[in-house]
């Protein structure tokens, strides 16, 4: 089977192992009154799949999971499932305390999702035993495979990740912490503690392309791409360059597009979502503003973003002309 030729009937882990394109984390579209705009959301998801996304992660961090009611969440997940029509898997977010995370998991299953991204529990800083209990209950609540999201108040020891890898229904770990020493020890511990397993790892840092060369050195080839929301051609070119070992293209895009974007993203709290949403609007799809407690980027930051996007596409044209 050629690279990326994944059959839609295969288990989620198999479909994600060698993706044909970036993992797409769509923003959630809101109308002028702040209500969820399912028509625009459907268009956003549809465009992403047609552009070459390998999977849709609906209502996760970039999709403002924290700002959605359960009803809005389920409506968006169902819309994503309908728009993908089985062409690529749909993974839905699930979070908050254990009872609510279980509820969101079941809503996602009812909506037809193929899997879950289990985000950190709300507020509390729990010990390893409590974290394991939380994710085991989420995994047991549905038949959906679960990827656990490590970040903020959900940071695991290597021994705990071994236990997660042994848990029925848990298929992977997405890292949003960025501690490469910890990740190397986690990968090693699971490799020796669960030999022969196919546990998945994802680079889940904001603008993961910026750090993906480092993660690849650990054997972690999967990563989330928020840039794909507004510049799919750039995200695809970078993804292809990594797969083909084209360091010249990867470095050109890192130096001329991704690094400037990351530096701009650092200018405001919540810009990992708000700046992405501004990018989608700049590219012609009115997905509305972010919901509180996030805030919109400053006007001059949006202007800088427009120039960075233009520069990114110019770099693609330059590369194509060589």
């Amino acid at each position: 089977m050629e690279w990326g030729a994944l059959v839609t009937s295969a288990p989620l882990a198999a479909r994600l192992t060698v993706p044909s394109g970036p993992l797409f984390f769509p923003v959630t579209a809101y109308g002028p009154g702040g209500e969820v705009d399912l028509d625009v959301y459907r268009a956003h998801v549809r465009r992403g799949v047609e552009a070459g996304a390998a999977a849709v992660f609906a209502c996760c961090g970039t999709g403002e999971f924290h700002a959605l009611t359960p009803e809005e969440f389920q409506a968006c997940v169902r819309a994503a499932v309908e728009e993908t029509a089985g062409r690529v898997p749909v993974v839905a977010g699930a979070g908050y305390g254990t009872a609510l995370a279980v509820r969101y998991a079941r809503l996602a299953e009812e909506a037809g999702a193929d899997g879950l991204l289990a985000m950190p529990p709300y507020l509390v800083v729990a010990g390893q035993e409590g974290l394991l209990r939380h994710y085991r209950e989420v995994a047991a609540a549905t038949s959906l495979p679960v990827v656990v999201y490590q970040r903020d108040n959900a940071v695991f020891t290597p021994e705990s990740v071994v236990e997660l890898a042994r848990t029925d229904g848990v298929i992977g770990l997405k890292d949003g912490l960025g501690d490469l020493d910890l990740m190397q020890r986690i990968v090693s511990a699971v490799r020796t503690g669960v030999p022969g397993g196919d546990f998945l790892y994802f680079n889940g840092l904001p603008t993961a392309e910026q750090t993906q060369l480092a993660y690849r050195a650990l054997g972690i080839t999967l990563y989330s791409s928020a840039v794909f929301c507004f510049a799919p051609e750039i995200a695809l070119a970078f993804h292809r360059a990594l797969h083909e070992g084209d360091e010249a293209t990867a470095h050109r895009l890192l130096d001329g597009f991704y690094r400037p974007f990351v530096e701009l993203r650092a200018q405001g709290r919540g810009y990992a979502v708000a700046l992405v949403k501004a990018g989608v609007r700049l590219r012609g799809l009115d997905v509305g503003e972010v919901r509180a407690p996030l805030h919109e980027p400053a006007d001059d930051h949006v202007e800088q973003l427009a120039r960075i996007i233009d520069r990114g596409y110019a770099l693609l044209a330059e590369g194509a002309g060589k």
Side-chain angles (χ1 to χ4, degrees):
M1 183 168 63
E2 293 183 359
W3 176 69
L6 300 176
V7 292
T8 57
S9 61
L12 178 64
R15 298 172 74 183
L16 292 176
T17 298
V18 186
S20 58
L23 304 179
F24 176 31
F25 287 68
V27 300
T28 298
Y30 304 129
E35 72 286 355
V36 170
D37 189 328
L38 285 178
D39 289 338
V40 175
Y41 180 73
R42 285 176 177 274
H44 182 44
V45 172
R46 186 166 58 251
R47 291 182 186 183
V49 174
E50 291 172 352
V56 173
F57 283 69
C59 304
C60 296
T62 307
E64 295 179 81
F65 170 81
H66 67 276
L68 300 174
T69 67
E71 295 76 17
E72 291 171 330
F73 166 85
Q74 188 174 48
C76 286
V77 174
R78 181 174 288 114
V81 169
E82 291 172 355
E83 290 302 324
T84 59
R87 290 174 289 175
V88 298
V90 174
V91 179
Y96 301 120
T98 306
L100 274 177
V102 164
R103 181 184 178 192
Y104 277 97
R106 289 172 175 163
L107 289 173
E109 185 175 45
E110 292 171 7
D114 298 288
L116 299 169
L117 178 63
M119 290 179 280
Y122 174 69
L123 191 61
V124 297
V125 179
Q128 297 295 296
E129 181 180 354
L131 287 172
L132 287 172
R133 179 182 176 188
H134 170 81
Y135 290 105
R136 283 168 174 162
E137 290 191 26
V138 173
T142 74
S143 63
L144 299 179
V146 176
V147 174
V148 174
Y149 197 175
Q150 170 170 265
R151 58 175 292 173
D152 301 322
N153 58 331
V155 177
F156 303 94
T157 64
E159 294 76 18
S160 290
V161 180
V162 169
E163 292 305 311
L164 287 173
R166 291 171 175 165
T167 299
D168 289 342
V170 177
I171 65 168
L173 179 76
K174 180 183 180 187
D175 180 53
L177 183 65
D179 184 335
L180 294 182
D181 173 80
L182 175 60
M183 283 306 299
Q184 179 64 84
R185 289 186 288 117
I186 285 173
V187 170
S188 175
V190 173
R191 185 167 55 236
T192 55
V194 193
D198 56 358
F199 198 66
L200 301 178
Y201 300 95
F202 303 75
N203 173 3
L205 289 173
T207 319
E209 288 93 338
Q210 181 69 17
T211 54
Q212 187 52 26
L213 288 175
Y215 274 80
R216 282 182 71 87
L218 304 183
I220 299 173
T221 59
L222 299 170
Y223 63 91
S224 56
S225 179
V227 163
F228 187 85
C229 289
F230 63 87
E233 297 86 357
I234 297 173
L236 280 164
F238 185 82
H239 185 272
R240 189 179 305 113
L242 290 183
H243 176 71
E244 297 175 352
D246 182 357
E247 291 188 0
T249 296
H251 291 165
R252 185 170 66 252
L253 292 175
L254 283 170
D255 297 344
F257 172 79
Y258 283 105
R259 179 169 57 84
F261 176 72
V262 167
E263 290 171 347
L264 178 59
R265 193 198 70 215
Q267 297 303 306
R269 288 187 177 274
Y271 271 19
V273 177
L275 208 61
V276 169
K277 215 163 190 183
V280 178
R281 295 196 301 269
L282 284 170
R283 299 283 291 158
L285 187 63
D286 188 1
V287 291
E289 299 183 348
V290 291
R291 282 180 172 175
L294 297 178
H295 68 278
E296 286 298 297
D299 290 344
D300 63 320
H301 289 164
V302 176
E303 292 171 2
Q304 291 179 54
L305 175 61
R307 291 193 293 271
I308 291 169
I309 293 173
D310 287 345
R311 176 58 177 158
Y313 279 97
L315 290 170
L316 290 187
E318 292 171 10
K322 292 182 178 180

